[in-house]
Amino acid sequence: MYIYKPKQFYITVFVATWTFWLFGILVNESLSRTFAMLLGLISPATIAIIMVFTSKSDALKKDFKRKLFHFWKVNIRSLVFAAVLFSAIVACSILLSTLFGQSLNQFSFTKDFSFTGVGLASAFATICFAAILEEVGWRGYGEDAIAQYHSWFTESIIFGFVWAAWHIPLFWVPGTYHYEIRQMSFLYMINFLVSVVPFGFITTWVYVKNGRSMLASILFHLFVNFCQEKIAMTQTTKCVESLVVFVAATLIVLANRDMFFETRHVGHILE
């Protein structure tokens, strides 16, 4: 039976990602920064693939391929429901934001992205690659490595904090979304980091409800990224959205108590 190595995976991912991104902070030349950002972004996926395919576990390799390529295993109804739920989160956030002086004109699409992209990488390419590469890393190995030893509820908490921390260097890399919101207000930076933790429960729910499908997670991540970028929400509204996400995550946990709190899968994730 394969023994997951969560500490090795996450320490290696953080060392690799942060090293490349810190280099991206220090250099001024756009091509070098783009290259450094790309290397940091692909680190989770690269390390996940290396750990899976250098293992001696045929079950682990087979499971990775199934999660990524077996599109017919995706629960379409569950995935559509997740998309509708996130759309409702956005709509509720905009409506509630009017209590804080925000406009209903946020129910529209933006012409441009809220950030420029890093160097030669466009904002569009950045959010697409981010969604794909992150999910291959996190769902390809990282999330299962924690869930092998914990309930999905505990896993969601641990992963949420780890995922939030992983983003920290981006707030100092010019051209990124994270850099732009830190320039606006330190509060917006904190809001982003805080919001990642409850959102982790929603991504776990999508992942498990779709039979631990990486493909489903990629599609949902892409949908969320485009909603966050192309719907004209202000940063004030995104602070409100964090509260709505927390409420939605709480309701999801309550409605799926068996999924989040069962421990039947512990020690048997590949089975």
Side-chain angles (χ1 to χ4, degrees):
M1 182 178 69
Y2 178 75
I3 299 175
Y4 278 94
K5 303 170 184 177
K7 290 182 181 179
Q8 179 182 332
F9 173 76
Y10 283 107
I11 289 173
T12 307
V13 164
F14 268 72
V15 170
T17 301
W18 282 26
T19 297
F20 291 127
W21 286 353
L22 288 173
F23 178 76
I25 293 171
L26 296 174
V27 299
N28 292 319
E29 200 271 317
S30 62
L31 184 59
S32 297
R33 178 177 292 146
T34 300
F35 189 59
M37 286 300 300
L38 178 61
L39 290 176
L41 187 60
I42 68 174
S43 291
T46 302
I47 292 165
I49 291 170
I50 290 172
M51 292 188 70
V52 169
F53 289 98
T54 59
S55 74
K56 297 179 180 180
S57 173
D58 290 334
L60 182 65
K61 298 172 187 176
K62 183 178 179 180
D63 188 59
F64 184 93
K65 294 174 184 177
R66 175 195 65 79
K67 291 191 295 182
L68 186 58
F69 298 115
H70 289 193
F71 62 88
W72 57 90
K73 295 288 188 179
V74 173
N75 186 330
I76 300 299
R77 181 180 297 179
S78 174
L79 194 57
V80 169
F81 182 79
V84 171
L85 174 67
F86 190 75
S87 299
I89 288 173
V90 171
C92 288
S93 300
I94 293 174
L95 290 172
L96 289 171
S97 75
T98 60
L99 300 175
F100 302 93
Q102 304 303 296
S103 171
L104 287 176
N105 289 336
Q106 293 174 98
F107 282 111
S108 61
F109 293 103
T110 61
K111 293 182 179 179
D112 300 307
F113 290 92
S114 65
F115 63 105
T116 59
V118 180
L120 300 177
S122 69
F124 175 79
T126 299
I127 65 173
C128 287
F129 282 120
I132 296 169
L133 295 173
E134 282 190 53
E135 294 304 327
V136 170
W138 305 140
R139 255 49 78 171
Y141 190 92
E143 191 158 12
D144 288 349
I146 301 174
Q148 176 74 350
Y149 305 102
H150 301 281
S151 70
W152 289 110
F153 182 83
T154 302
E155 183 278 329
S156 297
I157 295 174
I158 296 171
F159 176 72
F161 279 101
V162 170
W163 193 21
W166 180 75
H167 288 88
I168 289 175
L170 292 175
F171 292 99
W172 282 269
V173 180
T176 64
Y177 168 79
H178 308 76
Y179 180 86
E180 297 299 329
I181 63 174
R182 185 181 67 83
Q183 293 291 95
M184 295 179 194
S185 171
F186 185 74
L187 174 64
Y188 297 151
M189 170 183 165
I190 298 301
N191 176 64
F192 175 89
L193 293 172
V194 170
S195 69
V196 169
V197 179
F199 189 69
F201 283 87
I202 298 177
T203 59
T204 295
W205 169 66
V206 171
Y207 176 60
V208 178
K209 281 295 184 181
N210 282 277
R212 295 171 43 253
S213 168
M214 263 190 281
L215 181 57
S217 295
I218 289 170
L219 293 173
F220 182 66
H221 198 150
L222 283 169
F223 179 77
V224 170
N225 279 0
F226 276 100
C227 283
Q228 293 295 88
E229 273 301 310
K230 297 307 292 179
I231 295 177
M233 287 189 291
T234 65
Q235 285 300 322
T236 297
T237 300
K238 289 188 178 181
C239 291
V240 175
E241 184 185 42
S242 296
L243 297 175
V244 179
V245 166
F246 178 82
V247 172
T250 301
L251 293 175
I252 286 172
V253 171
L254 292 175
N256 297 270
R257 288 188 293 273
D258 181 67
M259 188 205 93
F260 277 100
F261 294 103
E262 59 84 13
T263 55
R264 296 182 298 272
H265 70 275
V266 174
H268 307 283
I269 199 80
L270 291 176
E271 299 173 17

